[in-house]
Amino acid sequence: MDNLPLEVIGNILSRLGGARDVIIASATCRKWREACRRHLQTLSFNSNDWPTYRDLTTSGLEILITKTIFQTTDLQGLSIMMDDVDEFSASTVIAWLMYTRETLRRLFYNVRTAPHINILDICGRQKLEMLVLAHNSITGVEPNFQRFPCLKSLSLSYVSISALDLNLLLSACPKIEILELINPEIAMSDAQVTVELCSLTLKTIYVEAISLDKFILEADSIESLHLKDCALELFELIGKGTLKHFKIDDVSVIHLDIGETVDNLETVDVSNFTIVWPKFYQMISRSSKLKKLRFWDVVFEDEDEILDLETIALCFPQLSHLSLSYDFKDGVLHYGLHGNSHLENVIVLELGWTVINELFADWVEGFLIRCANLKKLVIYGVVSDAKSHEECQMLANFTSSIVQLMRTYMHVEVQFEYE
């Protein structure tokens, strides 16, 4: 250990991350303290990592964080995530940020202060590449002054911001590639809640728990779009056909438009969603490069609508990963086995049920017949706590059928996932 260079020791301490562990490790000897001071790159204060943080008074916690930060000289990653902690003094927090901002590349910030401080004023025009803000408010964004020339990733969780300021903030980040919006409080000046965002460099966007009338995203380089737990009247993506991954989970939307040019789509993942199949099919049917298709707990607006394997096979010839949940209602199976086309490239197949019946095993067999090169089969099932005799017998019969069926497909790896 005596021969380890200070840089290596600093790298070891940086991998610990948590401030408590760093402090304890750096107390090993003078050399480790020196490595901590000169070469520590990452430091994290998280109230969930160490319960003692909550036992300290606010002033005691401020002193501890201040002493630890001011013993470093080259911090590149700083995380201060203080849930359920009283407000800090604004002057103290400003001192932390001013001391580290010239070297900082990554900032995770969830701190309540009195009075409120503008994080954009302090960290703008620096070398910051990643900014994660939680439980804060952003007002009066000025792109020319509060500019983030190096920022590539921005995450806003439970942040209060107006639609205008959100778009201005995005325009102040000329290199941004990743944007996360989690349960933001969008302040609006009129009755209609509309968000319009524009970015030439944005590649990935994740939106969760947002309720809007209109969400319009103009992004020429977008590759990944994920909407979760959202209520929208209209969502529109305006781009240049660069979208590769589209995921939508538990979203209520009346009008959904991801653009006319979807030739590069590789993943479509839809779950807990009511789908108007003719419109959705028209939207994705030209995605001949699609490799992964997932429809899980999807409700068809037209109860008589059927998505058959023939359609899947013809529209998506490169498909290698297929996931469907079994939905048999009123004599209609929404994912039918009609047609003679085979899914030659499918190597991973995921099938599941919410309510099992005697036809499920036959449904599984139909897929196995059509997936000649299948390597892995995963079966998901829901098993209720209070099971009737009929349910137990149904599950037993299914297990027997699958065991017998898989003797014919010995080359296929089988997994079961029950909840």
Side-chain angles (χ1 to χ4, degrees):
M1 295 292 285
D2 292 339
N3 296 326
L4 281 178
L6 288 177
E7 293 84 352
V8 175
I9 298 174
N11 189 37
I12 293 172
L13 293 173
S14 298
R15 292 178 181 273
L16 295 177
R20 174 179 175 270
D21 296 332
V22 170
I23 293 171
I24 292 173
S26 64
T28 303
C29 63
R30 182 181 299 174
K31 186 175 182 179
W32 280 63
R33 287 194 296 273
E34 180 69 9
C36 180
R37 185 180 70 84
R38 293 174 54 187
H39 298 288
L40 183 68
Q41 295 184 352
T42 303
L43 193 57
S44 173
F45 301 89
N46 191 321
S47 56
N48 295 321
D49 290 347
W50 191 29
T52 304
Y53 282 136
R54 295 191 177 92
D55 298 334
L56 296 173
T57 64
T58 304
S59 59
L61 192 52
E62 288 179 358
I63 293 171
L64 174 64
I65 296 175
T66 301
K67 289 177 64 176
T68 307
I69 290 178
F70 277 48
Q71 287 175 1
T72 68
T73 59
D74 190 31
L75 272 187
Q76 296 184 20
L78 176 62
S79 176
I80 310 176
M81 307 297 284
M82 291 293 157
D83 288 321
D84 304 323
V85 176
D86 290 337
E87 293 178 335
F88 287 96
S89 166
S91 59
T92 302
V93 176
I94 290 173
W96 300 341
L97 298 175
M98 292 294 289
Y99 181 78
T100 58
R101 68 175 186 170
E102 291 187 4
T103 60
L104 217 54
R105 300 291 189 274
R106 302 172 301 279
L107 175 61
F108 298 77
Y109 182 86
N110 178 10
V111 182
R112 295 173 179 84
T113 62
H116 171 73
I117 65 174
N118 192 329
I119 193 78
L120 304 184
D121 284 345
I122 300 172
C123 296
R125 306 180 310 282
Q126 302 297 327
K127 300 176 182 178
L128 205 62
E129 297 176 2
M130 182 178 187
L131 176 60
V132 178
L133 286 181
H135 298 284
N136 272 264
S137 61
I138 297 175
T139 57
V141 177
E142 299 179 11
N144 294 328
F145 176 69
Q146 298 162 328
R147 197 163 183 81
F148 292 84
C150 302
L151 197 71
K152 294 183 178 180
S153 177
L154 174 65
S155 175
L156 304 178
S157 300
Y158 302 91
V159 169
S160 175
I161 187 171
S162 72
L164 175 60
D165 280 336
L166 181 56
N167 194 38
L168 289 174
L169 179 56
L170 207 58
S171 67
C173 307
K175 293 184 179 180
I176 191 165
E177 296 181 358
I178 301 172
L179 175 65
E180 286 187 351
L181 300 174
I182 301 175
N183 202 2
E185 181 183 336
I186 305 294
M188 298 300 300
S189 57
D190 52 37
Q192 191 175 59
V193 185
T194 301
V195 168
E196 296 185 35
L197 302 180
C198 180
S199 173
L200 296 176
T201 58
L202 192 65
K203 293 183 178 180
T204 299
I205 183 168
Y206 173 79
V207 181
E208 179 180 345
I210 193 170
S211 180
L212 298 170
D213 293 320
K214 294 181 180 179
F215 193 131
I216 300 173
L217 174 64
E218 186 174 351
D220 290 346
S221 303
I222 194 75
E223 294 181 359
S224 177
L225 168 63
H226 185 178
L227 305 177
K228 182 179 180 181
D229 297 335
C230 297
L232 308 166
E233 287 191 13
L234 177 146
F235 180 88
E236 182 179 0
L237 172 64
I238 302 171
K240 293 186 176 179
T242 57
L243 189 65
K244 293 182 179 180
H245 309 285
F246 175 55
K247 185 173 183 178
I248 186 167
D249 180 9
D250 198 11
V251 171
S252 171
V253 58
I254 296 174
H255 179 75
L256 175 66
D257 184 1
I258 59 172
E260 296 182 358
T261 309
V262 290
D263 297 346
N264 291 309
L265 263 181
E266 296 178 5
T267 302
V268 172
D269 188 333
V270 182
S271 57
N272 303 296
F273 184 67
T274 299
I275 194 169
V276 181
W277 177 242
K279 292 182 179 179
F280 198 85
Y281 171 73
Q282 184 179 10
M283 191 164 57
I284 69 168
S285 60
R286 298 185 303 276
S287 307
S288 58
K289 297 179 182 178
L290 198 70
K291 296 178 181 179
K292 180 178 180 179
L293 178 64
R294 183 175 185 265
F295 284 151
W296 211 265
D297 292 333
V298 170
V299 176
F300 287 81
E301 190 172 77
D302 184 349
E303 295 182 354
D304 296 328
E305 198 71 61
I306 294 177
L307 169 59
D308 57 73
L309 284 190
E310 185 79 9
T311 300
I312 294 175
L314 294 177
C315 290
F316 315 121
Q318 296 186 30
L319 197 67
S320 61
H321 190 143
L322 177 62
S323 305
L324 298 174
S325 62
Y326 182 80
D327 187 12
F328 188 85
K329 294 180 180 178
D330 301 324
V332 177
L333 180 59
H334 288 300
Y335 306 113
L337 301 172
H338 309 291
N340 299 317
S341 297
H342 285 228
L343 298 164
E344 298 290 347
N345 293 314
V346 171
I347 58 175
V348 178
L349 180 63
E350 296 178 320
L351 302 174
W353 78 76
T354 302
V355 179
I356 193 173
N357 64 20
E358 65 278 0
L359 299 178
F360 184 74
D362 295 334
W363 191 63
V364 174
E365 183 178 10
F367 278 92
L368 290 172
I369 292 172
R370 287 164 174 79
C371 300
N373 297 307
L374 191 66
K375 295 181 179 179
K376 185 176 182 179
L377 170 66
V378 184
I379 294 178
Y380 295 86
V382 176
V383 182
S384 61
D385 293 333
K387 293 179 286 296
S388 65
H389 175 72
E390 289 78 8
E391 288 176 319
C392 292
Q393 191 61 49
M394 190 83 68
L395 188 58
N397 291 340
F398 165 72
T399 304
S400 299
S401 299
I402 288 295
V403 170
Q404 183 175 356
L405 178 62
M406 296 316 297
R407 288 172 180 163
T408 308
Y409 299 92
M410 297 291 289
H411 63 284
V412 178
E413 176 190 351
V414 184
Q415 292 183 5
F416 295 89
E417 299 281 348
Y418 290 159
E419 61 178 76

